[in-house]
Amino acid sequence: MLGASRRSVCAAAAAAGSRRRAAAGVASAVSGDSSFSSSSSSPRSVINGEPGVPQIQKRLLSVLAAPKFIGTDNVMPLKLREGSLVGRRYESSAAAVDSSDTPPAEKYEYQAEVNRLMDLIVHSLYSNKEVFLRELVSNASDALDKLRYLSVTDPDLLKDGPELDIRIQTDKDNGIITIIDTGIGMTRQELVDSLGTIASSGTAKFLKALKESQEAGVDSNLIGQFGVGFYSAFLVSDKVVVSTKSPKSDKQYVWEGEAESSSYTIREETDPEKLIPRGTRLTLYLKRDDKGFAHPERIQKLVKNYSQFVSFPIYTWQEKGYTKEVEVDEPVEAKKEGDDETKTEVKKKTKTVVEKYWDWELTNETQPIWLRNPREVSTEEYNEFYKKTFNEYMDPLASSHFTTEGEVEFRSILYVPATKKEDITDRKTKNIRLYVKRVFISDDFDGELFPRYLSFVKGVVDSNDLPLNVSREILQESRIVRIMRKRLVRKAFDMILGISCSENRDDYERFWENYGKFLKLGCMEDKENHKRIAPLLRFFSSQSNEELISLDEYVENMRPEQKDIYYIAADSLSSAKHAPFLEKLNEKEYEVLFLVDPMDEVSVTNLNSYKDKRFVDISKEDLDLGDTNEEREKEIKQEYSQTCDWIKKRLGDKVARVDISNRLCSSPCVLVAAKFGWSANMERLMRAQSMGDMSSLDFMRSRKVFEINPEHEIIKGLNAACRTNPDDPEALKAVDILFETAMISSGFTPDNPAELSGKIYEMMSAAVTSKWASQAQHAEPSLQQASPLSSEPIEAEVVEPEQVDMSQQK
């Protein structure tokens, strides 16, 4: 197929006449390629779906520069690879040219550090071999960039061809990949300097980082980090051949190196069939286990993944097909009348066939959407890019397209997905795709660009300030990355805030349902951004009618005399609504936040305050509601001081003290937590931890405060019992039951529920007996008189009927 395509190009070149002959270098290449065609029956190259149409002149340069894998000149080297010489050093391709004028190849030794580096790469130090293509395509792009930059001041550099592109051709049968660019190329000395040595400082850093990573037992993904991008070719190759022509030189040179060799050769290219007008042709002879990379579909997929947005067009050599109608002869048996013999006749029939051919196919998009002006990009284009890049089927809730300039420059598009991310603890995601100079670097991050609580945000980030290949160590230590992270987080919050301010409340309700837990996690992990997270939080409240409200709405609804933001944590909305702690606050019309999610209490505790308003847990001691009457409180304390001491003596170490409550109206008592200890809700959550060891956390289970309501009848009765008969067993039992029921109503769990239920049953039995049993005793004598009961059997007398004379009665 490759040979056939070249023959059609040559035919087109010949038909062009004197216009094609004007360029001497191109003409010589055409004449050389004409001998490459080996079979007259091979199908012609088809362009734009029409067979036989010649290729346009502007693409001639790159097509002619492509390697010739099927020609007879390369049969011997390929056979050597399959024979007993596999693994041995290959001879220079110049040696295959039978010409006495061929200059000898010069042999060079690698720099010591490069030799060691080659050894490390050959022995599969790096786990991800796919990066070789990204590195080599990036090098080709750099060569094109350099040529374009130099041609501004020296237009003659483009005289051999104005087209700037990259072309990748594969030979899957022989395991060969060829990468061609029309860039600046290299001279002989540049080959020695670029491919035979590495700057000593960079090599030292590379080897030092490598040693440290090996000692730490981690994966060393360091390719490209210290200028070793070209050597990534040896990840998959036994042999690499670089043929290059610089516009600064009249000669073309060939560099050859092998994976297992400590030296390389450089020679002048004299084969006219292999001459190129300008640029570099890189040929990789793949290892036996890596020949799968030579499949055209595999190469196309890698280019789309890693180099989709390189600023130069990248063409890959792909097999295509088109349908056409052809006439075929179909034999038909026919029998004439009166003739016994059957004759076979041939009839013409039209048949649809698929004609296969090979052609260059543009694989990448040269204009990334993030490089365009945001004003020129429609919402539909943003959504389409999002769905295509992240394999989503729903439009995002919001997007943000921005450019950051100044100390660090980068471009980015961020999205808030509409679909829910389930695992809040997974720090590693593939939601952020990092590009460096439009070359895809990685999407495997562990919190380097976004914190864990924003891991649901998806997007692309393109920076020109980072090295082309960024390792995880660079991301963790780079000052540039830290600045990028801060700005990305800031933009993400602005995007989420835009959703919350939308006129359609359903959008943010949907966001909160999907990602509310992530923002609560941010309250715990990111103290620096508390001011950005707090306005985005939503809670239920005592006055919101089961609708979520923001902290801004709560502050707006606060009473003039209210100083703090009150909240209570419970396991359900119903439990929070009926908690005894709310009685006084409801009476004063103070709004109370209901924290019913397990993460709510921890997140609010970490916030500590909002707009200079403290968060106050109404289930803890020292609640100040701002309406204290000191004289009245002093009188009540004096009146009930003896009762409080009596109750404390009975309860012992179960409570820290017994106080008069200022938060109760209808309940007799309540059990409140210490100021710096766990609340009832937090204690319940800690008990539920599957790996929790409560014995080691007893210090957090603070001693509780038992508050009593002096206005309640039960407390008044106990006050009277304390003064008249403090040792009465019934009164002491009532104190025990009162305390344990207060534990339940306050959200705590009794230490011995069975004992509590036994006491309640006993009290119910006494109450039932004293009321209904006494009524039954009063009704019993009258029942006995009406129907006395006897244990002796009763004998019945049978009476015979008598006959009566009716006439006598008259």
Side-chain angles (χ1 to χ4, degrees), residues 569 639 710:
E639 182 179 355

Side-chain angles (χ1 to χ4, degrees), residues 592-607:
V592 180
L593 297 177
F594 294 157
L595 311 185
V596 295
D597 186 85
M599 298 180 66
D600 283 348
E601 184 177 2
V602 183
S603 60
V604 167
T605 304
N606 279 273
L607 286 179

Side-chain angles (χ1 to χ4, degrees), residues 438-471:
R438 297 173 300 283
V439 176
F440 174 67
I441 300 302
S442 177
D443 59 0
D444 183 15
F445 296 107
D446 191 9
E448 290 86 1
L449 291 177
F450 272 99
R452 178 171 62 168
Y453 68 91
L454 288 178
S455 59
F456 62 88
V457 176
K458 296 186 177 184
V460 296
V461 180
D462 187 7
S463 172
N464 292 335
D465 297 328
L466 289 172
L468 185 60
N469 190 322
V470 184
S471 69

Side-chain angles (χ1 to χ4, degrees), residues 723-739:
R723 295 178 181 277
T724 57
N725 190 4
D727 297 328
D728 185 2
E730 295 299 328
L732 296 176
K733 186 184 296 184
V735 171
D736 294 338
I737 295 177
L738 194 66
F739 170 75

Side-chain angles (χ1 to χ4, degrees), residues 252-351:
Q252 180 175 328
Y253 295 97
V254 178
W255 181 100
E256 292 188 19
E258 298 181 12
E260 299 291 344
S261 176
S262 61
S263 62
Y264 61 93
T265 62
I266 296 179
R267 61 176 173 81
E268 181 183 344
E269 181 63 84
T270 58
D271 187 349
E273 293 186 0
K274 298 179 181 179
L275 294 178
I276 56 178
R278 183 192 68 238
T280 301
R281 180 171 61 223
L282 179 66
T283 306
L284 310 181
Y285 297 86
L286 301 181
K287 299 176 182 177
R288 181 178 301 176
D289 295 338
D290 296 316
K291 288 187 176 182
F293 285 109
H295 286 263
E297 298 81 6
R298 181 84 179 271
I299 290 295
Q300 189 178 52
K301 182 179 178 181
L302 292 179
V303 170
K304 287 184 176 181
N305 185 41
Y306 289 101
S307 306
Q308 183 179 9
F309 301 110
V310 169
S311 56
F312 298 97
I314 302 175
Y315 296 93
T316 55
W317 190 244
Q318 299 293 329
E319 185 180 25
K320 300 182 179 181
Y322 69 96
T323 59
K324 68 176 184 178
E325 301 289 336
V326 296
E327 289 186 351
V328 295
D329 296 335
E330 183 177 357
V332 178
E333 294 181 356
K335 186 177 182 181
K336 294 182 179 180
E337 296 181 1
D339 192 353
D340 296 337
E341 294 182 1
T342 302
K343 295 183 178 180
T344 302
E345 298 179 356
V346 178
K347 292 185 177 181
K348 297 291 185 180
K349 185 178 180 180
T350 302
K351 182 180 180 181

Side-chain angles (χ1 to χ4, degrees), residues 373-390:
N373 190 334
R375 298 178 182 178
E376 300 174 356
V377 184
S378 64
T379 302
E380 290 73 18
E381 289 179 294
Y382 283 127
N383 294 346
E384 186 64 28
F385 175 76
Y386 166 76
K387 293 177 182 178
K388 180 180 178 181
T389 304
F390 299 103

